[in-house]
Amino acid sequence: FTIPEFQRTAVTTLDILGDTVADTDAKLTAACKDAAAEHDKEATRAATQTELRGRLVDGIPEANGFDAVVYGTCPGCHGVAHHGAAHGHLRRCYRPGATVNVKGESKNCQANAGHAVCVIDRSLAERGMGNVDLTFYFGTELPDGEEGILDTGAGFKSHSGLSFGWDCNGDVTVDYSSGRRNLGRGGGLGLNHFDRDNTCKNGPEYLPVHWNVALPNGEYDVTVDFPEYYHQDCTVEGEHWCGPETNNKACVVSKKVTVTDGKFTLQG
């Protein structure tokens, strides 16, 4: 279990329209390695756009304070379609002065002068940490003034050290993004449904849908918010936390849980 730790930014010259996605990512990574101290070069990489958007990088500045854009590598780098680009689209970026989060992101960037955000993935032991606080949101955007990780409804996978996401009875090749709702739902937090389109089934039999985050085994203090109705069959680490008295209203529960299989799991 690692956390990307901010080191510095690095300036690079790109060819957004002419290069492939892989070429651009390689240039961003090379800029970071070139700027790193000799003993850190191998471990240094460029942060992904997904990490920047979700503020998954520890110590990252609040905003782009440079006079050039900030780019992240893929995944999450694809911007709007553009017929003049070799790869068919522009990049996402943070323009000068933009806040580095979901709302500050631009999707039509083609500036060739840019900054990469350089990180090193550190384990909890390397960081001298016995625990870490993680907050996940499941709507279409982060609530105003809140910081956390915005889940996109994608299948369980690694996001440069932190693995989380969805599965259908263990199958992670799923996309539950259609169930996401904006801040008008979920008491102002947004929400996602467990398989809104009812695709997780074997013939007429509905199969269990899970959301997981990979964690070291141990005890955790957890707060789960099932923000609306129809949550009576949902479980947290195999236990029903919301009884009949919470039907047709929000159910928010805080408890201590013990992770024994390397994942914290919600099922619906």
Side-chain angles (χ1 to χ4, degrees), residues 56 136 149 151 155-157 159 162-166 211-214:
L56 299 178
F136 290 90
I149 301 168
D151 183 89
F156 181 85
K157 62 181 179 180
H159 299 264
L162 180 62
S163 296
F164 61 90
W166 299 80
W211 182 85
N212 309 280
V213 56

Side-chain angles (χ1 to χ4, degrees), residues 14 16-17 19-26 28-29 46-54 69-82 85 87-95 105-111 115 152 157 159-160:
L14 307 168
I16 297 298
L17 295 183
D19 280 346
T20 66
V21 169
D23 289 339
T24 299
D25 286 355
L28 293 169
T29 296
T48 70
Q49 192 71 21
T50 298
E51 290 171 331
L52 300 180
R53 183 185 309 126
V69 302
V70 168
Y71 287 112
T73 62
C74 273
C77 71
H78 293 182
V80 299
H82 191 280
H87 43 80
H89 55 78
L90 301 180
R91 299 277 295 207
R92 296 182 183 231
C93 75
Y94 292 96
R95 300 188 189 283
E105 186 180 60
S106 296
K107 301 178 182 179
N108 59 344
C109 307
Q110 56 180 305
H115 292 261
T152 63
K157 62 181 179 180
H159 299 264
S160 300

